[in-house]
Amino acid sequence: MAGELPDYYFRIRENGAAVFRVDTENRQRRIELIEIAAVNVKNGNIKPHGETKLTQAEQKLIADWLAERRALLERRDMDDILRAVDHMNLTTQWAQAKASEAQLEAVTDTLLLAMHDLRTVLVRKKAERLGKAEAPKAAE
């Protein structure tokens, strides 16, 4: 392997990660991963593995990783939404220029329901935001 190995490794899981201490200082000179904790990204819980006692440095390392992971996932969510907007535009072009009647028949109801549902949520959320913005003005 090229370069130095990190002291800790985070194995990504669906809702977080398993945290391992990387050990290369052993008789066989093998890389050993010693599980020390599990992290839940959604609620921020950090659970030491087994009888492991996390040092303050390890707790800080895990908390820093957690903050970076949450920021990364938030950026990915926004990118996914912007890609969805692009895909909606491509779908519109497809429906207008390329789709056969059979293809349109196969997808129209599903698309209309999904778009109606999305529109309903977006309009409600926009109204909530506007209501919150106007509330401080009314108090003045």
Side-chain angles (χ1 to χ4, degrees):
M1 288 184 155
E4 291 291 314
L5 291 174
D7 293 331
Y8 295 89
Y9 170 69
F10 291 81
R11 180 193 298 153
I12 304 300
R13 294 182 178 173
E14 188 171 325
N15 289 327
V19 184
F20 296 88
R21 187 178 299 120
V22 178
D23 179 19
T24 56
E25 301 297 322
N26 55 61
R27 286 176 158 180
Q28 296 83 16
R29 293 192 160 174
R30 291 189 211 166
I31 298 170
E32 289 186 29
L33 299 177
I34 303 159
E35 188 169 359
I36 62 169
V39 184
N40 186 311
V41 172
K42 293 186 190 255
N43 63 21
N45 284 348
I46 300 169
K47 292 183 182 177
H49 181 74
E51 300 296 317
T52 303
K53 301 281 189 225
L54 298 175
T55 66
Q56 286 206 334
E58 288 171 336
Q59 290 175 8
K60 182 180 179 343
L61 176 88
I62 293 169
D64 290 347
W65 177 89
L66 181 58
E68 289 174 20
R69 183 70 180 168
R70 284 177 168 168
L72 172 65
L73 293 174
E74 187 176 321
R75 287 191 308 271
R76 285 182 180 172
D77 281 348
M78 286 303 301
D79 188 53
D80 287 347
I81 298 306
L82 295 172
R83 287 175 193 256
V85 171
D86 287 350
H87 203 77
M88 287 174 61
N89 286 318
L90 292 170
T91 302
T92 301
Q93 185 61 34
W94 168 82
Q96 185 175 20
K98 294 181 183 178
S100 69
E101 286 187 26
Q103 288 172 320
L104 287 172
E105 188 61 36
V107 299
T108 296
D109 290 344
T110 303
L111 280 171
L112 287 172
L113 285 170
M115 290 185 319
H116 173 73
D117 186 28
L118 177 59
R119 184 183 186 283
T120 301
V121 170
L122 291 174
V123 168
R124 179 174 40 84
K125 293 288 195 172
K126 177 95 177 189
E128 289 172 3
R129 288 192 313 275
L130 290 173
K132 286 179 185 176
E134 290 178 6
K137 291 179 185 176
E140 292 175 2

